[in-house]
Amino acid sequence: MTASPEPEAVQPPRLLVMKFGGTLMGSSQAIRHSASLVERSAAHGTRVVVVVSAMTGVTNGLLKLADAAEAGEIAFANDEIAIQRHRHFTAAQELGAAPDSETVRDIRELHETLRQAVYGVYLLRELTPRSRDLIVSFGERLSAPLMALALAQDGVRSHGLTGGQAGILTDSHFGSAKPLPSTYTRVKDRLEGLLNAGLTPVVAGFMGETEKGAISTLGRGGTDFSATIIGAALHADEVWAWKDVDGVMSADPRAVPRAQNIARLSYGEVMELAYFGAKVLHPLAVTPLQEHGIPLRVKSAADPDFAGTLVTAKAVTEAGQSVKAVTAIKGVSIITVSGAGILGVPEVVADLFNTLARENITLLMVSQSSSMSNVSLAVQSASAERTVAALRTPLAGRQLQVDIQEGVAVLAIVGAGMRGTKGVAARLFGALAQEDINILMISQGSSELNISVAIEERDVDSATREVHAAFGLDAAQRG
C-alpha cells in the first residue's frame, strides 16, 4: 500500500494594512475608489486593515471652528459645523445610505457630540491641547463610517473603530502623542478577533487614547503613524500608504516640476525626508516597522499597478548616486542664545535643552559656535514665541540674550550614498552660490544621511530647483 503524500502546508492569508489620505477620502467618488482598492486585495484572499484620514480640508476646518469658539465667535463655529455636517451627509447619501441607516445615525450623533464639545470651549473661552485634540479627532471619526459604507457596497464586511478602540494607547502629550509600549499587545488582541471573524477593521487614524480614556492625536499626518503602529502590532506583510502621487518624490513637484519617483528608500532615508519637510509621510511613521523589518510601500491610487516607493531596512543606491532627494521646511525661525555666561559652563547648555524638552519643542537644527559663546536653534515659527519665552528665563542661574530671526527655511539633501562620498557638500554649496543664496546655518548628521542648511525662505524654491539639478535628480537627466 502506497503511503499518502504529506499535505502541503496551507499559507495563511497575506495581511496588509492600507492607509488612505485625505484626498482619497475627499468625496464619495474618491471614497468609492479607495474602497475598490481594498476589495481588489480582499478578493484575492488578502486580509486587510483599513486606516483612514479625514476628508480633505476637514481637519483645518475643525481647527478653525475650535479657535472661533475660544474667541467667542459661536455663530461662526456653528456655521462651520453645519457645513461639515452637510458634507458628510451628502457623501453618505451618494454612497447609498438610507436616511434611517446606521451610517446616517452615526454621523448625526458624532456631529452632535462635536457641537457639544465646541460649545464647552465657547462657554469657558479656553481651548486646551486636550480639548483641541477631541475636536480635531472628529474628522477621522466621521470618515470611518463612510469607508465602511463604501466597503459594504463592494461586498466587504467591515467594522469601524476609533484609534483608541483599536488599542492605540498614548502618553498625554496632546497634539503630538506617542504610543505606549502596551499599545502593540492591545492592538493585536482587538483587531485579530475581527480579522479571524472575516471582518475588515476600518480604523479612524491620527488618534489614540490616554490611560484615562481621553482622545489624543499623533500630530499632523498622524494617520501614517496609526497605520504603521497597527502594522507592527499585527506583524503585517506590508503597510501600504495610498496617496495621490506616484510615491516618495525626489523633491516637492510644486517647486520642482522635474521631480521623479524614488523606487527604493531605507527607513533612515525616509525618516530624514519626512523630518525635513517631505509631506508624504509622518516623521515617525517607519519607527514601529523597524524592529520587525516590515516594508512600507507608498502607492498611487490613480495607478495601483505601479510599484510606487518601497521602504525597507536596507538602503539601495544606484552607482554614482550620492543624493536621492532634496526637501525643505518653510516657516522656520532661528533663535540664538548668547552671552559670556555660556563660556565654559556646560550646565547652561544642559539647562537650555531641558527647558525645551519641558516645553515639548522640536528642534530642526542646532549649531554652537566654536568659542561656545552662542547656541543657535532652528524651530518651526509656530513654536518660536513659546521657545523665546522659555529661554528668556535664567539658564543655570545666568540671564542670557535671546535673539530671533524669522522668515527662514531649512533645505536638506538626503541619501545613503553620501556616506563616505567626497565632494557632496561642495556640490551643495556650489549650487547655492550659483543662485547667490546666503547660508545662515549648516548641519550634517553623524549618520551622513543628510546635510541641511538654513536659508532665507524667499530663496527656498529656487534653491531646491538648483540643488535638485546639481545632483542629477531631474527626471529628464536620469532618463
Side-chain angles (χ1 to χ4, degrees):
M1 182 175 178
T2 305
S4 300
E6 290 290 327
E8 292 184 10
V10 178
Q11 295 296 320
R14 193 162 183 253
L15 175 60
L16 292 177
V17 176
M18 293 188 178
K19 175 261 177 178
F20 294 92
T23 305
L24 303 181
M25 297 294 298
S27 65
S28 58
Q29 183 178 1
I31 295 169
R32 190 175 286 113
H33 177 65
S34 297
S36 74
L37 297 174
V38 178
E39 190 277 333
R40 176 178 173 172
S41 291
H44 291 89
T46 299
R47 299 188 300 168
V48 181
V49 177
V50 178
V51 183
V52 295
S53 296
M55 298 179 82
T56 317
V58 166
T59 298
N60 287 337
L62 291 168
L63 289 169
K64 189 188 303 181
L65 68 86
D67 290 337
E70 183 184 33
E73 299 171 4
I74 192 62
F76 175 85
N78 284 334
D79 287 346
E80 283 293 312
I81 293 173
I83 291 169
Q84 302 286 8
R85 183 190 298 116
H86 176 74
R87 183 175 180 186
H88 288 93
F89 276 138
T90 300
Q93 183 180 24
E94 291 173 351
L95 288 168
D100 60 345
S101 66
E102 183 179 355
T103 301
V104 169
R105 288 198 301 273
D106 287 346
I107 292 173
R108 183 179 293 114
E109 289 172 7
L110 284 167
H111 275 104
E112 176 57 24
T113 307
L114 169 62
R115 188 193 64 78
Q116 292 173 5
V118 170
Y119 194 66
V121 170
Y122 163 71
L123 290 176
L124 293 171
R125 297 294 200 278
E126 181 182 25
L127 181 63
T128 65
R130 179 172 174 169
S131 57
R132 186 187 296 272
D133 270 10
L134 172 62
I135 289 170
V136 80
S137 73
F138 281 92
E140 279 70 17
R141 292 165 71 183
L142 286 159
S143 279
L146 296 175
M147 174 59 88
L149 175 60
L151 288 171
Q153 301 291 331
D154 284 344
V156 178
R157 296 169 57 231
S158 65
H159 181 77
L161 308 95
T162 66
Q165 290 168 343
I168 298 177
L169 190 70
T170 76
D171 59 27
S172 297
H173 283 119
F174 295 101
S176 58
K178 303 296 186 295
L180 299 179
S182 59
T183 283
Y184 298 94
T185 302
R186 285 162 54 96
V187 170
K188 181 178 172 64
D189 290 344
R190 297 187 183 190
L191 296 190
E192 276 197 340
L194 296 174
L195 289 165
N196 292 336
L199 295 172
T200 295
V202 177
V203 181
F206 177 53
M207 76 188 74
E209 66 181 20
T210 67
E211 291 178 300
K212 293 183 178 180
I215 287 179
S216 55
T217 66
L218 305 174
R220 292 303 293 263
T223 305
D224 294 322
F225 200 9
S226 301
T228 55
I229 290 168
I230 292 168
L234 296 174
H235 300 280
D237 292 282
E238 288 188 6
V239 175
W240 288 5
W242 290 101
K243 305 282 183 177
D244 57 351
V245 294
D246 287 342
V248 181
M249 306 296 286
S250 58
D252 184 343
R254 291 169 298 183
V256 185
R258 295 166 75 182
Q260 62 175 326
N261 180 65
I262 305 171
R264 295 288 298 269
L265 287 168
S266 67
Y267 294 139
E269 288 171 326
V270 83
M271 278 195 287
E272 294 286 351
L273 281 171
Y275 188 76
F276 284 103
K279 294 180 171 55
V280 174
L281 291 170
H282 185 284
L284 297 177
V286 300
T287 53
L289 305 180
Q290 289 180 292
E291 181 181 350
H292 305 291
I294 298 170
L296 169 67
R297 195 179 293 274
V298 183
K299 288 178 66 67
S300 168
D303 188 6
D305 292 324
F306 183 66
T309 299
L310 180 64
V311 182
T312 59
K314 184 179 179 181
V316 177
T317 302
E318 297 177 16
Q321 182 190 37
S322 57
V323 171
K324 289 186 179 178
V326 185
T327 187
I329 307 175
K330 298 180 181 179
V332 174
S333 298
I334 295 177
I335 296 168
T336 302
V337 182
S338 59
I342 295 181
L343 290 168
V345 186
E347 295 90 342
V348 173
V349 177
D351 199 9
L352 183 153
F353 288 114
N354 285 333
T355 299
L356 297 178
R358 283 195 302 271
E359 293 292 324
N360 198 28
I361 293 167
T362 300
L363 298 177
L364 303 174
M365 296 174 66
V366 180
S367 176
Q368 183 173 8
S369 67
S370 56
S371 67
M372 295 179 62
S373 63
N374 66 70
V375 179
S376 294
L377 315 166
V379 301
Q380 293 276 11
S381 295
S383 304
E385 186 177 337
R386 191 158 50 95
T387 305
V388 170
L391 296 179
R392 281 188 172 149
T393 59
L395 299 175
R398 291 164 171 79
Q399 190 71 48
L400 302 172
Q401 181 176 339
V402 182
D403 298 302
I404 182 170
Q405 180 177 355
E406 299 178 324
V408 176
V410 173
L411 180 145
I413 55 173
V414 175
M418 295 194 311
R419 191 178 290 121
T421 301
K422 298 178 177 64
V424 174
R427 199 186 305 183
L428 168 64
F429 300 145
L432 295 174
Q434 184 74 24
E435 288 292 302
D436 197 27
I437 292 170
N438 184 41
I439 297 174
L440 307 173
M441 283 178 69
I442 302 169
S443 175
Q444 179 172 15
S446 58
S447 66
E448 294 188 72
L449 286 177
N450 87 82
I451 301 175
S452 51
V453 294
I455 60 177
E456 293 189 16
E457 185 172 325
R458 64 172 182 250
D459 296 327
V460 70
D461 286 345
S462 60
T464 302
R465 286 190 292 272
E466 189 67 30
V467 173
H468 192 269
F471 284 97
L473 298 177
D474 283 356
Q477 292 183 23
R478 300 187 65 206

